[in-house]
Amino acid sequence: MQTVTLKDLIEVTPNDHKHQATQLYERVFEALMWTWVVEGTVEKISPLLQWKHRQPAEIESDLAYLEINRSELLSALSEYLDNSSLRTKMADWLFLNVLTYSEYIATVIEVRKHSMGTERYIKSLFPPKNNHSTDIADFTSRPWHLPATLAMVITAWAIHPLIGVGVTSYAIFKTYRQKQLRVKINAIFASMLQTYSSFNTLDLSWPQVTSSLERSRALGVIWDSSLYALAELRTGNINVEQCTDQRSK
């Protein structure tokens, strides 16, 4: 899998702009903080020394130990887009890869916290699992839900048939809506992960990048506009000034 270090990024930058590039890319890596844990004790928290395209088996560990400062990454990308002297194939890939991944991770965290509650979500992180699941049902299941619902329906029918009909209808409708919502969320997760996974090489086809972003957006995925600005810049559909104008709106 593709891996990029700060040294790699500096080496491919023109000599006259290496200092500026160093400052910019240091910001990127400082926005990716890793918590080092040894035998249950936090040893240190420090920036990553490299960015590697993640595999599904690594995602749960990232949820537990990787803290991503998305606002800082987007700020760095904005500076990058505004300075043509810094743009390289390697840096293009880094920003595209790390930002689509950070959007996916942020979405997973938000949905799991909402589904599980913050305390239960945090407990679920440690120790990290070996397999990453995109099925939200794995995190929303409550063993007591079915017995509680059945008890409520039986009690309602015992009180009065009309009440029983109403409660039963509500329970069926609620179950249906929850299932539909899970299907939609799972589709979004799968689309985001598939889109990210397709950006695993420096040899990107930018028209295909744009197409991948658009396909996932059609399913409800919300990517930051800066990613589209980067893709459009590389496909030649928009100039730098227009990118800047779009981000400022």
Side-chain angles (χ1 to χ4, degrees):
M1 289 296 103
Q2 185 65 53
T3 301
V4 167
T5 67
L6 176 62
K7 181 180 178 181
D8 295 333
L9 292 161
I10 302 306
E11 285 181 349
V12 297
T13 303
N15 289 333
D16 293 344
H17 302 280
K18 288 188 183 297
H19 177 69
Q20 186 177 3
T22 300
Q23 291 181 321
L24 176 64
Y25 301 132
E26 281 180 347
R27 288 173 56 197
V28 172
F29 285 101
E30 287 171 0
L32 305 167
M33 301 296 292
W34 186 265
T35 300
W36 301 89
V37 177
V38 179
E39 297 181 353
T41 302
V42 175
E43 291 289 319
K44 64 177 180 177
I45 301 175
S46 59
L48 292 183
L49 300 178
Q50 62 181 19
W51 177 256
K52 180 183 69 172
H53 182 83
R54 265 42 180 181
Q55 296 300 298
E58 300 171 283
I59 296 175
E60 294 297 327
S61 291
D62 282 350
L63 286 168
Y65 302 125
L66 179 62
E67 181 178 348
I68 303 175
N69 187 335
R70 293 161 67 212
S71 61
E72 181 64 13
L73 290 174
L74 289 170
S75 175
L77 175 56
S78 178
E79 179 181 336
Y80 176 77
L81 290 173
D82 290 339
N83 193 330
S84 59
S85 301
L86 298 179
R87 292 188 216 125
T88 63
K89 181 179 179 180
M90 187 176 294
D92 285 348
W93 175 83
L94 174 65
F95 280 112
L96 179 68
N97 200 269
V98 75
L99 279 167
T100 50
Y101 186 69
S102 70
E103 292 286 355
Y104 175 67
I105 289 295
T107 303
V108 169
I109 292 173
E110 182 178 352
V111 171
R112 288 191 188 180
K113 280 185 176 180
H114 180 77
S115 303
M116 305 169 69
T118 301
E119 184 176 350
R120 185 165 171 251
Y121 166 71
I122 292 174
K123 288 180 179 178
S124 73
L125 297 177
F126 307 102
K129 302 174 184 64
N130 293 325
N131 297 316
H132 177 64
S133 175
T134 58
D135 188 349
I136 190 59
D138 292 340
F139 306 94
T140 58
S141 61
R142 302 287 194 278
W144 50 268
H145 270 190
L146 181 57
T149 301
L150 289 175
M152 181 177 65
V153 170
I154 291 171
T155 301
W157 278 96
I159 295 173
H160 194 281
L162 288 178
I163 297 177
V165 170
V167 171
T168 302
S169 299
Y170 172 76
I172 293 173
F173 174 74
K174 185 177 180 181
T175 300
Y176 171 77
R177 288 292 300 272
Q178 289 176 336
K179 181 178 180 180
Q180 292 299 105
L181 181 59
R182 286 197 296 268
V183 169
K184 182 176 181 180
I185 291 173
N186 288 344
I188 288 175
F189 279 168
S191 179
M192 293 185 82
L193 191 54
Q194 182 180 22
T195 299
Y196 168 72
S197 297
S198 68
F199 305 148
N200 62 354
T201 174
L202 286 178
D203 296 321
L204 295 168
S205 166
W206 285 98
Q208 290 182 5
V209 167
T210 302
S211 178
S212 295
L213 294 173
E214 291 291 352
R215 281 197 303 272
S216 57
R217 183 163 66 174
L219 291 174
V221 177
I222 302 175
W223 302 110
D224 190 271
S225 60
S226 294
L227 289 173
Y228 294 98
L230 174 61
E232 290 169 344
L233 185 67
R234 284 311 187 188
T235 55
N237 292 334
I238 195 167
N239 59 39
V240 181
E241 290 74 18
Q242 288 174 311
C243 290
T244 305
D245 291 342
Q246 284 188 358
R247 293 197 307 277
S248 65
K249 291 181 180 178

